[in-house]
Amino acid sequence: MAGHDSGTQHQFTGIKKYFNSYTLIGRRNYVLLTYGSILMIILGFKMRKPKKEVSQK
Amino acid sequence: MNENLFASFTTPMMMGVPIVVLIIIFPSILFPSPNRLINNRLATVQQWLIQLVSKYMLSIHNYKGQTWALMLMSLILFIGSTNLLGLLPHSFTPTTQLSMNLGMAIPLWAGTVVMGFRHKTKASLAHFLPQGTPLPLIPMLVIIETISLFIQPVALAVRLTANITAGHLLIHLIGGATLVLMNINPVTALITFIILILLTILELAVALIQAYVFTLLVSLYLHDNT
């Protein structure tokens, strides 16, 4: 649907080559980065929780 | 009154034995299997109907998508015949049960998604971000697209359940109102009866349309992933 790569008209250099919202690879990397960030935030909160309980005791 | 309204949606029992499986299997015996080159009229009409539906439904698919032809045709025939049989008085309609519709929607949707991730991993992941999205909106849009993906099977099932259940309830209510009004005001009862007839015609259409919509959406999800 809106999934086909029309990135041939865009010439990206540097980090934009791998992270952009036009090419297939760029969009995939952004999606993986978003999921990875959410996972990191959740893991960060889970790891903080036992430390808080230990300090209160 | 309330108990009578919802009594037709409870699990049907015969002498204490649930017969819902028999009711689900029943529509299949109404479709004969053509076993000759030139069949009888019923089998010929059935073949013609299936060819007509499959011609339009499978034209958008590539080779991989067309391997789902049998599944899609079975789905539309099953839902259509079940919905139509449910319009007979005092019959039980399996498609009014959310459990049954979720049981159809979730495996089919999951099959298309898994197929997409297996054969086109890059494109399937890239689907979560619309093309040309501005940078500040990217995280929010990825989350929204993920939620909209997981909502798809729920929407499929609830759409079918709600449409069929609502139609049956309306027929119950208006039929009950017609009966009550016959002794009170026959003219109003006649108007209500005409409304009931029109509603029944609408429900016939809704029965077929909902079967088509369910199958078409599964077909579209498959097309996105093949």
Side-chain angles (χ1 to χ4, degrees):
Chain A
M1 283 163 97
H4 290 291
D5 190 3
S6 65
T8 46
Q9 68 219 58
H10 300 280
Q11 296 298 325
F12 295 108
T13 52
I15 199 157
K16 282 272 180 201
K17 199 176 168 188
Y18 300 104
F19 288 95
N20 63 77
S21 58
Y22 291 95
T23 60
L24 221 56
I25 290 171
R27 285 154 66 200
R28 180 200 67 179
N29 290 343
Y30 261 136
V31 169
L32 290 173
L33 182 69
T34 309
Y35 286 151
S37 312
I38 294 167
L39 196 68
M40 285 289 138
I41 292 167
I42 293 168
L43 279 171
F45 272 110
K46 280 199 178 297
M47 287 173 71
R48 264 180 77 191
K49 238 182 167 183
K51 278 187 188 172
K52 249 191 177 175
E53 284 168 8
V54 165
S55 61
Q56 277 171 5
K57 281 177 187 174
Chain B
M1 173 71 178
N2 285 339
E3 202 186 321
N4 284 339
L5 263 181
F6 293 103
S8 60
F9 300 116
T10 55
T11 313
M13 305 271 249
M14 192 187 279
M15 294 186 288
V17 178
I19 52 166
V20 65
V21 175
L22 284 174
I23 294 172
I24 291 169
I25 292 169
F26 175 70
S28 62
I29 66 174
L30 300 174
F31 296 104
S33 339
N35 54 8
R36 289 182 166 75
L37 187 63
I38 296 170
N39 294 285
N40 60 25
R41 271 170 253 208
L42 180 61
T44 309
V45 166
Q46 182 191 291
Q47 271 179 319
W48 168 80
L49 199 66
I50 291 173
Q51 272 169 11
L52 182 75
V53 173
S54 58
K55 189 173 75 172
Y56 289 111
M57 207 158 261
L58 298 168
S59 56
I60 58 166
H61 289 292
N62 56 18
Y63 173 74
K64 248 195 196 75
Q66 286 179 357
T67 56
W68 280 55
L70 184 61
M71 182 73 240
L72 294 173
M73 289 305 109
S74 311
L75 188 67
I76 194 170
L77 281 178
F78 172 69
I79 299 175
S81 57
T82 308
N83 289 349
L84 286 171
L85 283 170
L87 288 171
L88 294 169
H90 301 289
S91 63
F92 173 73
T93 319
T95 44
T96 54
Q97 308 299 308
L98 185 63
S99 53
M100 158 117 176
N101 295 335
L102 277 171
M104 287 193 294
I106 290 176
L108 289 168
W109 164 84
T112 61
V113 168
V114 164
M115 212 164 138
F117 273 100
R118 221 182 118 195
H119 297 290
K120 288 163 59 176
T121 317
K122 205 163 50 178
S124 295
L125 280 169
H127 258 133
F128 287 109
L129 182 64
Q131 226 172 15
T133 310
L135 182 63
L137 292 175
I138 286 172
M140 190 182 71
L141 229 56
V142 170
I143 292 167
I144 287 171
E145 289 287 326
T146 311
I147 292 169
S148 73
L149 178 76
F150 284 98
I151 286 276
Q152 282 174 352
V154 177
L156 262 181
V158 171
R159 185 185 298 111
L160 182 58
T161 310
N163 270 290
I164 304 301
T165 309
H168 286 217
L169 273 173
L170 268 174
I171 288 174
H172 267 274
L173 282 168
I174 293 177
T178 310
L179 276 172
V180 166
L181 282 169
M182 257 192 230
N183 295 324
I184 301 167
N185 188 343
V187 174
T188 317
L190 183 67
I191 296 168
T192 324
F193 183 67
I194 292 167
I195 294 171
L196 181 65
I197 291 174
L198 292 171
L199 184 66
T200 309
I201 296 167
L202 175 70
E203 284 307 309
L204 280 165
V206 164
L208 294 169
I209 288 166
Q210 286 306 313
Y212 175 67
V213 163
F214 193 103
T215 314
L216 183 71
L217 283 169
V218 170
S219 166
L220 283 174
Y221 299 154
L222 179 68
H223 179 64
D224 284 345
N225 287 294
T226 49

